[in-house]
Amino acid sequence: MTGGRQDGGMELGSRGVVSAVVGDDDTAVRVGSGDVPVLGTPRLLALAEGATVEAVAGLGDGRTSVGTRVELEHLAASPVGMRVTVEAVLTEVDGARLVFEFEATDERDVVVGKGRVERVVVDRERFLARLPRVDRG
């Protein structure tokens, strides 16, 4: 991690990287976001969120982070078999609120997506305890 210490022990400039090869299950067809066999936008978002989680891995003290807001531009298509890498950088810390900028590139160094993800640091047990109970029986 790089950068100066901020609230809650987070460091500005902390980075997370996630990489995946686009498979059939990642396509717009399979995730229901279109009818072409390329990386679906929901899957790109999942990779971006994964990179933000990686950037703040090890929060400790029973803490985790949850996504609260996303801005995403899906700029280029990535076919099945293409490797896509997403790098997220922590750019702002405001109390428990974390803001990340991310960029996704393919193996040709084409920028396929970019955007911003906001997350909030929460106590895992308290968060789970507040969930509504669902009775399906």
Side-chain angles (χ1 to χ4, degrees), residues 9-90:
M10 298 294 92
E11 287 190 45
L12 289 179
S14 293
R15 296 176 184 278
V17 178
V18 172
S19 184
V21 174
V22 178
D24 291 332
D25 288 342
D26 302 313
T27 64
V29 173
R30 194 65 60 91
V31 299
S33 66
D35 63 2
V36 289
V38 297
L39 179 65
T41 302
R43 188 65 181 114
L44 176 58
L45 173 57
L47 292 170
E49 284 200 298
T52 66
V53 169
E54 182 69 28
V56 292
L59 285 170
D61 298 328
R63 297 183 302 165
T64 190
S65 65
V66 294
T68 58
R69 180 178 167 89
V70 174
E71 297 172 20
L72 176 127
E73 293 180 75
H74 198 163
L75 303 168
S78 303
V80 171
M82 180 71 69
R83 177 169 296 281
V84 174
T85 301
V86 180
E87 181 175 21
V89 180
L90 180 59

